[in-house]
Each structure stands twice: as structure tokens, then as C-alpha cells.
Amino acid sequence: EINDHTENYSDEDEHDDIVDDFIKRLDDSLADVDLDDDETQQFLTSHEQSASPPSSSFCNYLKIAGKTIFIGALAVISFLAFLGSPVFLVNKRGAMLEFSGLSWQAANNLGDVTDDMNEADTALYWHIPKAGGSSMKAYYSCMGLVEATSGSEQRGHNHDESLKVWRNGAHNYINVDTTRKDGILRAKSLGLAESNLADLVTTMFPGAAVDIFTPEHKGRPFVLFRHPVDRAVSSFYYRQIATWEKGKGVYDPSLANIEIDAWFEQQAKSNENGGYMVSLLLNKSRTDPLTNDDMILAKRILREKFLVGLMTEMEESVDRFDTYFGWYENEKRQECYEDFIRQGRNRNPHTKVEEGSDTWNVAVEANAFDVELYEYAVQLFEEQENFIF
């Protein structure tokens, strides 16, 4: 066909235009060709037997096409290599989402935030320390929700061989503690998601907790964010007095002997990656270096999967959570809301660090990745009001 169209053209520019147009039409045609189709094979065989020697113009085209195909092949090979190295999620819109450090199965275990809740889905609360978590957990416990949380394995229930709901006073627990990584493994092995016994699963490790769920019984994550500098300042003072905390390294009275700006400077110079929250989200160690690609991934996960709340908008955030998960009409909500959301729980008054001060700026440097994630969460909070509520 290209011979027929070009043999009568002596003008080089016009000839090139014809060739370019042909290549475009050829690309469009080849996109739909099935080389294994019987009719295609018959066509190719008959034309191969009757083909005449190609003209010089056709040879020139072959050179052009050869280069195009070569470049295209390299692109395909590179893409396949890239696709094979990390793990991706394909969401309902056909968009690919890379989940570095998470299995393909786990990546698909979280529902899209814009999807309607399914009866088989379970709410997953990412508890970020010193970001309103104590108030949130007390609030939902007050409402009588069945929770998988830090108190779930008390009174010997860590030795139960099957799942069961048990009561501790007014609190309803299911007997797995998903705030610990070994508890997450136990919850998975006992089939927590498939049981549909829990109203709420709470964890500090969202990147690990996704493995509790399945594509048929998805987790529906939500989170309450606090500015990383404010959160770090609160943690600094809290750890000086928190004798009741059992977690390793939480209570640290030696911090009382350090000035907070010196503490932030130590953090900035340490081998920590400046992304505590980002690391938890991606299921990475705090000492693993974080990259811009990690940051892009963390934002994508947050946007696609999480219902986002802010401590600065606590009441509005909780209203959104309760509306989204169907808890707004809970008969105990108003009383619990007043006690634990408006009044709060586990508050620790301390000296504030002024935004823009030298100490604040050092803290921002020490928590650079988390600050970027928080700023993105603020943006998402505004956007979700429009397309979810």
C-alpha cells in the first residue's frame, strides 16, 4: 500500500507526509491485530508467497518502522521489568497503584474510600500516637462497638483457640489485639475479617494490618492526623511522665533532662528517616531511607484508601467517620461524644512550640516526610467533604 501511495511523488516533504500518515494508520491497525487468529495467519501466508520485492521507498519505511518497533519494544520490556519488581494494585477504575513492601493480595484488601460500605467490610482505625487516639478509642468503646484493640486479649483471652466476643464491663471486645504485630498475625490466622464479628479494628501498623483482610472482606481505613511537630512535642513531654505505658521505650524519664530543641536536633542528625507516619503506612522501618517515590506512594494510598480526619477539626472529623460507617444513629453517641470527643481523654498540658520559631523549624527538618504527608492530608480533608459527604 505504501508503494502505491508514494511511487508517483517526487516531492520529498510530500512523500514524508504520506509515510507519516501511513505509519500512524498502521499503528492504529496493529493495535487490534491478533497474530494467532486463523484468518490472520492465512492472510500472512498467502501474501508472503505472492509478495513482490520491496521498492526502495518501502525499504526506507522499514528502516523507520524498525526503529519505531525497537524503541517500542524497549519501552514494553522496561515497563514489564518495572511492573514485575514492585507490587501493584489495580483499582476499579483500572488505575495502577504501587504498594512497595506489601503483597499484591494485601494491597487489594483495602476498599476504595469512594466506594459504598459493604456488609462484609470492617472499619480499620489507624491510631497515630498522640493524635487523639485515646479519645477516639474511648469514644467508640463507650458506644458499645465490638473492638479488636489493645484490651482485647486481657483475662487470658490471648490463649483462646477461636474467635469470640467478650465483655469487660461496658466494653465489647473480640479476643485479638491488633495493636501489636504478633496480634495482627493471630487475627489473620483466626480469620478475623471473615468472621465479621468486629465493628472496629484498631492498629498503629496499617501497612501490616491490611493482611488481616481479604478481597472479599475488605478493611475500610480511617485516620485522625495531627501536625507532626505538635505530635512530636506532645510525645516529648508525655514520655517523661507516662509510667503507666507498657510499650518498650515509651516511658523515658531521662527526657526531662534535655531541652526540646536539643532533642529535635538529635532527631535530625539520627539515622531515623524523618517519616514515622510514612514508614508505618508503607510498612517500612524507621531507619529505612525514604525517597520521593515513597512519598508519592504514601500520598496515593492515603487518597485512594483512607477517610481522613484532623485533630484541628476533631468534631467535624468524628461526624464524618460516624456518618461514613453508619454509627451516627448509635443510641449512646451523644453521651459518649460529649465525654470523649468534646472533653477528650489522656491530655497532657505542656509548653507549646511556636510555629516559625527556631525550634519549630528544626522539628520540621527532623520530620520532613511526615510534614509533607500531613499537609497533603489537610488538602484531602477539604476535598473529601465535596466528593464523599
Side-chain angles (χ1 to χ4, degrees), residues 227 229-230 233 264 353-365:
H227 193 288
V229 175
D230 291 330
V233 171
F264 278 127
V353 172
E354 293 297 323
E355 184 173 355
S357 66
D358 290 343
T359 301
W360 178 278
N361 293 335
V362 172
V364 167
E365 180 183 353

Side-chain angles (χ1 to χ4, degrees), residues 89-92 99 104-125 191-201 206 209-222 304-305 324-325:
L89 163 74
V90 180
N91 67 16
K92 65 174 184 176
F99 272 75
W104 176 288
Q105 177 184 5
N108 284 281
N109 291 349
L110 298 179
D112 283 359
V113 68
T114 53
D115 287 349
D116 293 334
M117 281 287 293
N118 187 295
E119 289 185 357
D121 297 343
T122 305
L124 173 65
Y125 170 48
L192 175 62
E194 295 89 338
S195 74
N196 285 121
L197 291 173
D199 296 313
L200 176 62
V201 174
V210 291
D211 206 37
I212 293 173
F213 304 97
T214 71
E216 294 75 30
H217 298 83
K218 295 179 183 291
R220 303 303 292 262
F222 66 108
E304 295 277 354
K305 300 297 179 180
Y324 186 85
F325 291 109

Side-chain angles (χ1 to χ4, degrees), residues 28-36 40:
D28 293 340
S29 300
L30 288 176
D32 297 321
V33 170
D34 181 2
L35 293 178
D36 295 324
T40 303

